[in-house]
Amino acid sequence: MNAQPFASTFAACWQDLGLAAPPWTAAAPGGAGTLAVRSPIDGEVFGQLPVCSPADADARIARAHAAQSLWALTPAPARGELVRRLGEALRTHKAALGRLVSMEAGKILQEGLGEVQEMIDICDFAVGLSRQLHGLTIASERPSHAMRETWHPYGLCGVISAFNFPVAVWAWNAALALVCGNGVVWKPSEKTPLCALAVQGLLDRVIADHAPQFAGLACVLTGGRQLGQALVQHPSVRLVSATGSTRMGREVGMACAAHFKRTILELGGNNAAIVAPSADLELTIRAMTFAAAGTAGQRCTTLRRAFVHADRIETVAQRLRQVYARLPVGDPLQDGTLVGPLIDAAAGDAMANALASCRAQGNVVHGGERLLADRFPRACYVRPALVLTDTQHDTMLTETFAPILYLMPYTSLDEAIALNNAASHGLSSCIFTESLREAERFLSAAGSDCGIANVNIGTSGAEIGGAFGGEKATGGGRESGSDAWKGYMRRATNTVNYGDTLPLAQGIRFDV
């Protein structure tokens, strides 16, 4: 597929969304102030977008900050109504936006549609939440005193998102931030700018139609690393939610700490599964395959390590090899495809280097070869790989954002839990077992040290109702459901004296 037909396909998607054409520029590829747009499906550049200049970024952030000061005073249920209308717009345009996600991020169409459904779900969640931003009533030790806890908008929120979930992660943050009374400034991945512009276009239309006084409340800044740095350092941005690599998160965290800004960091994940002797293998193999090979291994929750009981590892390895050998790899827009391309050649190189390191250490590698190079010479399609190893070496403990699944035997549950927890990341984990005792031990304080710990399901595919995030090098942030909304608000403790005396706490006497 050459660039011109792909540009036409994107244009048709844009038309289905009812949006004005993207702000294409005629500048030469690689020119100053431009951002090349390509699809990982064929790897070809089919357009150039202008990069948001520092002056434009300042103006957009200033406008969002001004709108936020009024938005914060709007009753929360009224804020929820705007998010409800955004959810309706997403429902209307789910098919077109899901297709756009697949074209620009390379994930199969089912996953593209699923990502938009996740946006719709978090909007529904946030609408209900808008009537439940409640605090506490606290008993006071002093007579004729009342104590309570209240929550208030935190301030302008910056969102830095990654290519692998180009719209859902923004929605996790934006839907909550908006109902909590904040404005949102979005810096999307430079690899998926069109998805961001499309979503922002839908939100802009909702605001223009139903709340025009809040124009500019949310905005998008397209560009590279320097624009992200400017967003993080901008004095009007009080909270930064960043999704990406641990390296990036460390830089964001340090920059925000210098100005005492709040952060929500959702970073890498070297996620593991334990396959116990009692595991239901039919369920286990299916769950492991989706978790390890889905999205071409490019989820932060992708299954990368599997510790299989020594009595079952030969059977599990054989079954996985059989399944992997017949996984349909190809154009993600085609029916039947289950594994699309890696995002770019650099991702393919990282995968090849990791597998070469494994072979050098004596590991047995199945799969991992390049596919469809004749049809898509500039794209990067690969067969998902299995690596059989007896030790958890440095390569295995390093997150490679590609479909590599390491299989390693264990003999005791304590050993398997220790292997799970040995990774520097602490995002997602799971155990496959029919033993209640094993399951509960894995979920206990003596078990997995990850933010997500599952039983008899894989590491990926989280629902929006639970708080999403992990520990250690994953960053410690929480997004989406449960009480993650508290991250977008500031807490105040209030004490009211409704009597006519002034008793002091702790029985202190201070007579004047």
Side-chain angles (χ1 to χ4, degrees), residues 65 68 152-158 177 181-183 236-239 488-489:
H65 185 257
Q68 192 266 331
H152 305 285
Y154 192 75
L156 195 59
C157 298
N182 307 305
S236 294
V237 176
R238 297 304 307 148
L239 180 154
Y488 305 88
M489 304 198 83

Side-chain angles (χ1 to χ4, degrees), residues 414-452:
D414 285 347
E415 176 195 5
I417 290 173
L419 289 166
N420 174 84
N421 294 348
S424 60
H425 299 93
L427 178 52
S428 189
S429 58
C430 65
I431 187 170
F432 295 94
T433 181
E434 296 296 296
S435 165
L436 178 64
R437 287 181 175 175
E438 286 185 329
E440 290 294 344
R441 180 169 177 78
F442 180 75
L443 301 179
S444 75
S448 170
D449 65 359
C450 296
I452 299 170

Side-chain angles (χ1 to χ4, degrees), residues 293-417:
T295 326
Q298 297 173 117
R299 291 188 182 216
C300 55
T301 53
T302 289
L303 176 61
R304 308 197 184 281
R305 301 174 297 143
F307 305 109
V308 185
H309 194 274
D311 292 343
R312 308 297 295 274
I313 192 163
E314 287 188 14
T315 301
V316 169
Q318 180 182 11
R319 295 281 296 277
L320 284 171
R321 286 199 303 270
Q322 292 170 347
V323 172
Y324 270 42
R326 63 174 185 266
L327 278 176
V329 180
D331 184 340
L333 298 177
Q334 296 297 316
D335 290 342
T337 298
L338 293 181
V339 181
L342 294 176
I343 189 65
D344 54 26
D349 292 342
M351 180 177 180
N353 291 339
L355 295 180
S357 174
C358 291
R359 293 187 184 96
Q361 297 176 74
N363 297 157
V364 177
V365 177
H366 298 279
E369 67 272 15
R370 178 92 177 266
L371 302 174
L372 304 174
D374 291 341
R375 182 181 175 194
F376 300 115
R378 296 185 182 277
C380 190
Y381 292 83
V382 295
R383 172 72 58 194
L386 297 170
V387 177
L388 307 183
T389 179
D390 291 325
T391 60
Q392 186 163 225
H393 45 67
D394 287 345
T395 305
M396 184 174 174
L397 285 170
T398 301
E399 181 190 32
T400 301
F401 220 59
I404 301 174
L405 176 59
Y406 298 91
L407 301 177
M408 179 180 167
Y410 79 90
T411 55
S412 72
L413 181 60
D414 285 347
E415 176 195 5
I417 290 173

Side-chain angles (χ1 to χ4, degrees), residues 39-278:
S39 171
I41 294 176
D42 66 356
E44 300 284 352
V45 174
F46 63 86
Q48 300 285 328
L49 289 173
V51 168
C52 184
S53 70
D56 286 342
D58 280 343
R60 294 177 195 181
I61 292 173
R63 192 179 186 205
H65 185 257
Q68 192 266 331
S69 63
L70 297 175
W71 182 246
L73 302 178
T74 302
R79 301 194 298 250
E81 174 62 13
L82 182 71
V83 174
R84 186 191 70 80
R85 292 181 182 276
L86 172 61
E88 289 303 311
L90 293 170
R91 280 185 172 88
T92 300
H93 298 289
K94 177 180 175 179
L97 185 57
R99 189 172 180 83
L100 180 63
V101 168
S102 293
M103 286 190 288
E104 195 172 32
K107 57 179 64 179
I108 63 173
L109 186 55
Q110 278 295 306
E111 292 190 67
L113 295 171
E115 182 165 352
V116 180
Q117 184 60 49
E118 198 165 358
M119 301 175 76
I120 295 167
D121 292 343
I122 195 64
C123 285
D124 288 348
F125 180 89
V127 172
L129 184 64
S130 69
R131 294 181 181 271
Q132 301 180 69
L133 300 174
H134 47 68
L136 299 171
T137 298
I138 304 167
S140 173
E141 67 185 67
R142 289 170 285 189
S144 300
H145 280 59
M147 291 180 65
R148 57 179 174 259
E149 175 186 276
T150 53
W151 294 87
H152 305 285
Y154 192 75
L156 195 59
C157 298
V159 178
I160 300 174
S161 60
F163 76 85
N164 58 331
F165 279 85
V167 293
V169 169
W170 172 85
W172 291 353
N173 286 276
L176 298 191
L178 288 169
V179 299
C180 288
N182 307 305
V184 180
V185 181
W186 185 9
K187 163 56 181 72
S189 168
E190 57 268 36
K191 298 176 182 180
T192 51
L194 288 182
C195 289
L197 290 172
V199 171
Q200 186 64 51
L202 293 177
L203 178 56
D204 286 346
R205 190 163 64 202
V206 168
I207 292 175
D209 290 346
H210 303 288
Q213 68 273 32
F214 299 114
L217 177 66
C219 63
V220 63
L221 311 177
T222 53
R225 176 187 176 90
Q226 291 181 336
L227 196 59
Q229 292 173 332
L231 171 64
V232 169
Q233 295 168 359
H234 200 286
S236 294
V237 176
R238 297 304 307 148
L239 180 154
V240 177
S241 176
T243 301
S245 69
T246 297
R247 175 199 57 75
M248 180 273 288
R250 185 174 289 111
E251 293 178 2
V252 169
M254 292 174 65
C256 287
H259 300 283
F260 301 103
K261 295 186 180 187
R262 185 180 293 178
T263 58
I264 300 173
L265 300 179
E266 167 43 46
L267 311 175
N270 198 349
N271 314 293
I274 297 173
V275 182
S278 64

